[in-house]
Amino acid sequence: MWKNIEINSNSVQTETIKATLIKVPKTEFLFWHPSKLIRKSGKDGYKLSFGYTDNFTFKLFRNGKGKHNSHEKIEEIELSAQDFEKRFFKTEED
């Protein structure tokens, strides 16, 4: 069964023909998602939704913040769809 998560368009860091780089809210983590599974939602055009199933595996990563390692992955996490949902919808109180 397909699920969708709605995000603000400003969460998109980069777009290519095949994949879109999305920032996870309230974290420094990013992940690539197939562009064909991303749709515009909402009337204002500022909302997007991306589709996935329970079988998806999300590979999150974080780049360095320094001058020389800003494009280097310094941390990687592989999450199931259920763990990803928990992390994606995590609030500041958690």
Side-chain angles (χ1 to χ4, degrees), residues 12-56:
V12 172
Q13 302 292 304
T14 303
E15 290 181 82
T16 68
I17 293 171
K18 291 189 175 192
T20 301
L21 184 62
I22 300 171
K23 183 180 182 302
V24 178
K26 301 175 185 168
T27 71
E28 296 176 0
F29 285 96
L30 305 164
F31 68 97
W32 288 98
H33 200 69
S35 293
K36 65 183 178 182
L37 298 179
I38 298 176
R39 306 272 187 260
K40 290 185 180 182
S41 65
K43 297 175 186 173
D44 56 9
Y46 292 109
K47 298 281 185 184
L48 301 171
S49 69
F50 62 90
Y52 64 98
T53 65
D54 284 334
N55 297 331
F56 265 64

Side-chain angles (χ1 to χ4, degrees), residues 70-86:
S70 62
H71 296 290
E72 182 181 324
K73 293 179 184 176
I74 60 172
E75 187 177 357
E76 292 182 282
I77 302 170
E78 196 166 305
L79 299 172
S80 67
Q82 294 79 17
D83 291 336
F84 176 77
E85 289 169 354
K86 290 176 191 172

